[in-house]
């Protein structure tokens, strides 16, 4: 070595105050000069070194965003919202795979049955899938970020919508794709849409009162009961929920339940607001 970095320059280097181009020369020189590295260790502040290592460790320990989260951020979604969306349990591969499998076998069974009137099996099951997805999109049973969500400063109603809307959209989209696999039924295969919206909005509207377990369970059970009664009272022809009158009732229920859900939005932000979330472990809110 024909030259070494001056001690004052090394001290400034350690403090992060050394300016270019001397900074670049010092960087290159320190990589090859053990003597200057020793002097740098002597003149550097140990507290600053420890702080630097802590920052480096913290940066290395930060988990890398998943593909969905990165995609959402690139699409313009805020970082914290993208993290909440990506952490939604029912948007994960296991749930989506199960949903696709259920729809596939339902469509297969419907096609094999060759029902002349309507795809009753598919129309009975399809409205329940969005309801189940929304019901499982929050709560400590499946959500590893449940505690963080509960104590977050975000409005409870907005947090619920962040979790609900994408799950509902995905479920409806997959149901729509499954409908395309039943071309012989035409528009009759779309009769699940309004009942699905009615069931989901009703389940959400009842959640502040009954909790996220009991509310969707009662709504789903009521839908099954309606179908059984309709089958029992209909000797031939289309079941009542799939007629024009039945679809009109489903649309009206969806609108009314959505309005009630919006009017009760503050229930998700008071002291008892998170009780519906806690209902997964101990029942619904009173």
């Amino acid at each position: 070595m024909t030259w070494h970095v001056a001690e004052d320059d090394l001290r400034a280097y350690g403090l992060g105050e050394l300016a270019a181009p001397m900074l670049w020369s010092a960087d290159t020189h320190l990589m090859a000069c053990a003597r200057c590295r020793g002097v740098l260790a002597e003149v550097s502040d140990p507290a600053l070194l420890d702080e630097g290592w802590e920052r480096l460790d913290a940066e290395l320990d930060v988990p890398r965003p998943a593909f969905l989260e990165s995609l959402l951020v690139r699409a313009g979604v805020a970082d914290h919202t993208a993290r909440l969306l990506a952490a939604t349990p029912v948007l994960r591969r296991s749930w989506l795979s199960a949903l696709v499998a259920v729809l596939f076998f339902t469509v297969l069974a419907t096609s094999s049955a060759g029902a002349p009137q309507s795809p009753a099996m598919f129309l009975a099951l399809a409205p329940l899938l969005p309801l189940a997805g929304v019901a499982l999109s929050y709560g400590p049973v499946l959500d590893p970020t449940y505690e963080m969500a509960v104590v977050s400063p975000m409005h409870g109603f907005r947090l619920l919508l962040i979790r609900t809307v994408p799950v509902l959209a995905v479920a409806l989209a997959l149901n729509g794709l499954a409908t395309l696999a039943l071309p012989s039924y035409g528009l009759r295969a779309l009769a699940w849409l309004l009942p699905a919206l009615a069931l989901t909005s009703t389940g959400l509207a009842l959640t502040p009162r009954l909790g996220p377990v009991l509310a969707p369970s009662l709504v789903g059970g009521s839908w099954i009961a309606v179908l059984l009664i309709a089958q029992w009272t209909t000797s031939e022809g289309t079941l009542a929920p799939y007629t024009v009158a039945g679809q009109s009732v489903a649309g009206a229920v969806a609108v009314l339940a959505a309005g009630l859900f919006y009017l009760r939005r503050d229930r998700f932000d008071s002291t008892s607001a998170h009780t519906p979330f806690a209902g997964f472990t101990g029942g619904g809110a009173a």
Side-chain angles (χ1 to χ4, degrees), residues 54-72:
E54 290 177 0
R55 288 198 304 269
L56 179 60
D57 288 340
E59 187 68 23
L60 293 175
D61 290 339
V62 172
R64 294 185 177 182
F67 172 76
L68 177 59
E69 184 179 347
S70 301
L71 188 63
L72 291 171

Side-chain angles (χ1 to χ4, degrees), residues 8-282:
D8 291 340
D9 290 336
L10 289 173
R11 186 175 287 105
Y13 181 89
L15 295 173
E17 299 174 352
L18 190 62
M22 188 59 199
L23 174 63
W24 306 331
S25 300
D27 275 333
T28 303
H29 181 80
L30 287 169
M31 293 177 62
C33 183
R35 172 184 169 182
C36 288
R37 289 198 298 269
V39 175
L40 176 62
E42 293 175 359
V43 300
S44 297
D45 186 353
L48 290 178
L49 288 176
D50 293 340
E51 183 181 343
W53 281 113
E54 290 177 0
R55 288 198 304 269
L56 179 60
D57 288 340
E59 187 68 23
L60 293 175
D61 290 339
V62 172
R64 294 185 177 182
F67 172 76
L68 177 59
E69 184 179 347
S70 301
L71 188 63
L72 291 171
V73 171
R74 291 180 181 178
V77 179
D79 292 351
H80 62 283
T81 302
R83 179 63 55 87
L84 287 172
L85 285 172
T88 302
V90 293
L91 288 181
R92 293 177 185 165
R93 186 181 305 171
S94 57
W95 165 260
L96 294 177
S97 300
L99 184 59
V100 171
V102 169
L103 288 173
F104 172 77
F105 286 112
T106 303
V107 169
L108 185 64
T110 300
S111 300
S112 301
Q117 298 297 330
S118 64
M121 181 181 299
F122 177 74
L123 295 179
L125 178 65
L128 293 174
L129 296 179
L131 175 66
V134 169
L136 295 175
S137 63
Y138 50 88
V141 170
L142 293 178
D143 188 1
T145 63
Y146 163 74
E147 290 80 6
M148 293 178 8
V150 168
V151 300
S152 67
M154 184 178 296
H155 193 291
F157 181 73
R158 182 169 181 266
L159 175 63
L160 181 61
L161 288 182
I162 288 175
R163 286 295 180 87
T164 296
V165 171
V167 172
L168 180 59
V170 169
L172 293 179
L174 291 176
N175 275 353
L177 291 176
T179 302
L180 297 178
L182 300 170
S184 59
Y185 295 101
L187 293 179
R188 288 175 297 174
L190 288 173
W192 59 267
L193 180 57
L194 287 176
L197 295 176
L199 295 182
T200 303
S201 56
T202 302
L204 288 172
L206 294 178
T207 293
R209 173 64 61 178
L210 302 178
V213 173
L214 185 57
S217 298
L218 288 178
V219 172
S222 299
W223 170 246
I224 295 175
V226 167
L227 291 178
L228 291 176
I229 294 174
Q231 177 123 27
W232 181 58
T233 57
T234 303
S235 57
E236 60 181 14
T238 304
L239 295 181
Y242 308 130
T243 62
V244 174
Q247 292 287 294
S248 300
V249 171
V253 170
V255 172
L256 292 175
L260 180 61
F261 175 54
Y262 178 77
L263 291 176
R264 305 183 71 183
R265 62 190 183 278
D266 291 337
R267 292 290 303 273
F268 293 95
D269 216 34
S270 60
T271 303
S272 60
H274 293 302
T275 305
F277 296 87
F280 273 107
T281 57

